[in-house]
Amino acid sequence: MRVHVDTEKCQGHNRCYALAPELFDVDDFGTAVVLNDGVVPAGLEDKAQLAVANCPEYAITITDD
Ligand code: SF4
């Protein structure tokens, strides 16, 4: 599983980082960036889903690769 952030949509609310700091960080402009190329470590799948559900801009997606 891998998470992706659409930086065009991201408005920097940082909810993803607050909910899942293991998966996301925030750059100097306040835009979310994925850690570890977006690869979701085992056991953090629920947090990835939570971040998707809580992004107000629908900027986070998940793929199965
Ligand atoms: S929650 Fe969504 S809009 Fe907010 S920083 Fe994360 S990706 Fe960007």
Side-chain angles (χ1 to χ4, degrees):
M1 177 188 279
R2 202 183 282 255
V3 285
H4 307 265
V5 170
D6 184 336
T7 52
E8 302 271 306
K9 293 182 180 172
C10 175
Q11 296 295 320
H13 306 281
N14 297 337
R15 285 200 198 179
C16 51
Y17 174 65
L19 288 167
E22 305 91 339
L23 302 177
F24 301 94
D25 202 351
V26 182
D27 71 12
D28 292 342
F29 303 101
T31 303
V33 292
V34 294
L35 298 175
N36 192 32
D37 279 339
V39 174
V40 179
L44 292 180
E45 294 87 353
D46 286 354
K47 280 201 168 189
Q49 302 279 7
L50 197 65
V52 171
N54 281 275
C55 176
E57 308 299 332
Y58 305 102
I60 305 171
T61 51
I62 289 175
T63 53
D64 283 333
D65 58 341

